[in-house]
Amino acid sequence: MPKQRLNFIDRIKRIITGPLEKTVIEQNNQIISDFSGWHNKYFWGIEQSTLENNETIFAAISRLSSSIGSLPVKLYRQYEQQNEKVGQLLTRSPNQNMTPYIFLSRLETIRNEKGNAYVAIQRDRFMQPDRLLILNSDNVTPAIDDKTKELYYIIRNAGNKLVLHHMEMLHFRHISAMNSEVGISPISVLKNTTEFDTAVRKFNLEEMQKTDAFIIKYATNVSDEMKLNVIENFRQFFEDNGGVLFQEQGVEIEQKERKYVSEDVVQAEKLTRERVANAFGVPLALLNGDGSTMKSVEELNRFYVTHTLLPIIKQYEDEFNKKLLTVSQLEDGYYFKFNVKGLLRADVATQSEAYFKAVRSGYYTVNEIRAWEDLPPIEGGDKAMISGDLYPIDLPVGERNTPALKGGDNSDKKQS
């Protein structure tokens, strides 16, 4: 195992000069490895104006965060599920305050809002991952060491500063520009869109809240006294919200046209949905748009999983595998994996047909399918079968004529 993976303190690089550096060096291990003071200090900032005030962006981020949070992620070793401590961080409790769903969904929310989500890895005395703590993205800055060219993360909080090696930080991001380790926030990309949407809504709302306006036209022979009487009569009529309005000869009353146009709001909302869907990579139909060309819900789900979720999931799995597992575990075949099968389920008839063919071809075992359907395993259900009709998959070809070894109903077979 490389030397840098043996000791947690050795992986912390202090680049602060002066008296503060001496103070940090003299701190004991507990203080250096305790991130409680850095953890979620401001809950992503004082005010989430865009996320809270734009329902389309909220819907897109909510869809992504709930999808990622709902997917089971488990630790495997050569296809077999493991129950080791590092795996339990993502199946039971990442830290003392969060469930796996809250942890993953919040990470995805921050990643989509800020462009970057950071998680400090706190280790126990055996240098194994013990807690995963979400940091305020505004307080973290990635930096490349000029000499070693390795990536570090500078964490600032209340006048303090701590630098962590990249192996002690999980970093989930959107795409980044060349020579940059900072992901680009989709909300920043959508700045012009949200400002336009807000402006259209504000203008139309102001127009709707205005009182009705009228134009009173007089003929040239109308006296000043009659003008005053007409205005008073009309004012009384308007204040009483009805009644009798006498329109004198030579006087014409016309309601002034207001600029509020409902189609403006509809078009602005449609344009916003399309641009938000593109920025977050979410199918427009999932944002209540009408641009879906999918023939069925199953096809829409397959498109969503393939083109939206799988790239995100790949990033999560890579970070978990690289930084939560040791080199020896990786060499021994350990890995984290999300299960997306639940999102790809079709209707009952289609799914049953797929299960039926999978069992007959030895692709799945009976117990694997029962586990996906939340049913208990049955005796003998772990053995793969092939159509024949049906033989155990490991049965020699020469022994496959024995009726007693066949699966299914053989009562209709004629005896030779």
Side-chain angles (χ1 to χ4, degrees), residues 340-377:
V340 299
K341 293 185 182 296
L343 296 177
L344 295 174
R345 287 184 180 178
D347 58 84
V348 175
T350 305
Q351 190 67 56
S352 298
E353 179 67 16
Y355 285 160
F356 177 74
K357 292 179 178 179
V359 169
R360 295 180 67 83
S361 63
Y363 189 62
Y364 293 140
T365 66
V366 172
N367 279 347
E368 285 176 330
I369 293 175
R370 291 179 65 85
W372 296 330
E373 297 296 332
D374 295 323
L375 297 173

Side-chain angles (χ1 to χ4, degrees), residues 77-351:
R77 177 178 176 269
Q78 299 178 357
Y79 304 103
E80 295 290 334
Q81 184 178 335
Q82 305 297 307
N83 193 34
E84 298 186 15
K85 180 180 178 181
V86 65
Q88 294 174 4
L89 286 175
L90 299 175
T91 58
R92 295 185 183 180
S93 179
N95 54 64
Q96 71 274 27
N97 297 322
M98 295 183 180
T99 62
Y101 173 85
I102 295 297
F103 177 76
L104 290 173
S105 62
R106 186 170 296 178
L107 273 180
E108 185 61 15
T109 299
I110 302 172
R111 189 185 75 90
N112 285 288
E113 183 198 0
K114 298 292 187 179
N116 302 270
Y118 302 98
V119 179
I121 305 172
Q122 182 167 321
R123 301 180 183 269
D124 59 20
R125 60 193 182 97
F126 299 107
M127 301 304 137
Q128 295 301 310
D130 184 53
R131 291 196 300 172
L132 304 176
L133 302 175
I134 300 178
L135 302 180
N136 180 2
S137 296
D138 295 334
N139 293 343
V140 183
T141 304
I144 300 293
D145 187 285
D146 290 336
K147 295 181 180 179
T148 65
K149 302 304 179 183
E150 289 197 78
L151 175 63
Y152 290 85
Y153 291 91
I154 304 172
I155 311 171
R156 295 180 175 86
N157 184 54
N160 297 317
K161 184 165 148 185
L162 182 66
V163 181
L164 293 183
H165 188 268
H166 66 88
M167 292 300 292
E168 302 305 327
M169 180 82 78
L170 300 176
H171 183 186
F172 308 101
R173 72 197 86 178
H174 271 273
I175 61 172
S176 55
M178 185 176 179
N179 299 326
S180 175
E181 296 297 333
V182 180
I184 300 173
S185 169
I187 294 181
S188 298
V189 175
L190 291 167
K191 183 175 184 294
N192 291 335
T193 298
T194 56
E195 288 180 350
F196 174 76
D197 180 72
T198 301
V200 172
R201 290 169 181 264
K202 181 179 179 181
F203 173 78
N204 283 281
L205 183 61
E206 290 175 349
E207 289 296 316
M208 292 174 62
Q209 292 175 340
K210 289 181 179 179
T211 57
D212 292 332
F214 297 85
I215 300 175
I216 302 178
K217 298 179 180 179
Y218 301 101
T220 56
N221 59 348
V222 176
S223 65
D224 291 340
E225 183 179 358
M226 181 178 291
K227 291 179 182 180
L228 294 176
N229 290 336
V230 170
I231 293 175
E232 179 61 25
N233 185 23
F234 182 77
R235 185 187 64 79
Q236 190 65 42
F237 169 82
F238 193 77
E239 288 182 353
D240 295 342
N241 197 25
V244 179
L245 177 63
F246 296 98
Q247 187 165 324
E248 303 288 347
Q249 184 177 3
V251 178
E252 181 181 345
I253 300 176
E254 177 185 342
Q255 183 173 357
K256 186 177 181 181
E257 183 180 358
R258 295 163 63 180
K259 295 181 180 180
Y260 170 74
V261 182
S262 60
E263 288 79 5
D264 293 344
V265 178
V266 174
Q267 291 301 320
E269 288 181 349
K270 182 178 179 181
L271 179 62
T272 300
R273 279 199 304 269
E274 292 175 352
R275 291 181 174 177
V276 169
N278 288 335
F280 288 98
V282 177
L284 182 59
L286 296 182
L287 299 181
N288 296 324
D290 54 1
S292 176
T293 58
M294 307 298 174
K295 298 179 181 179
S296 64
V297 175
E298 290 78 18
E299 186 177 353
L300 176 61
N301 286 341
R302 192 179 304 112
F303 183 91
Y304 177 54
V305 170
T306 303
H307 297 281
T308 302
L309 293 184
L310 285 184
I312 300 173
I313 289 171
K314 175 62 174 173
Q315 181 181 175
Y316 278 88
E317 290 176 344
D318 285 350
E319 282 290 287
F320 293 152
N321 291 333
K322 180 179 181 179
K323 299 175 182 180
L324 296 183
L325 300 177
T326 63
V327 173
S328 59
Q329 285 176 320
L330 292 172
E331 293 175 348
D332 202 25
Y334 282 81
Y335 60 93
F336 286 97
K337 186 174 181 60
F338 284 81
N339 187 350
V340 299
K341 293 185 182 296
L343 296 177
L344 295 174
R345 287 184 180 178
D347 58 84
V348 175
T350 305
Q351 190 67 56

Side-chain angles (χ1 to χ4, degrees), residues 26 56 68 73 133 202 255 290 380 409:
E26 291 177 350
T56 307
I68 295 298
V73 53
L133 302 175
K202 181 179 179 181
Q255 183 173 357
D290 54 1
D409 185 6

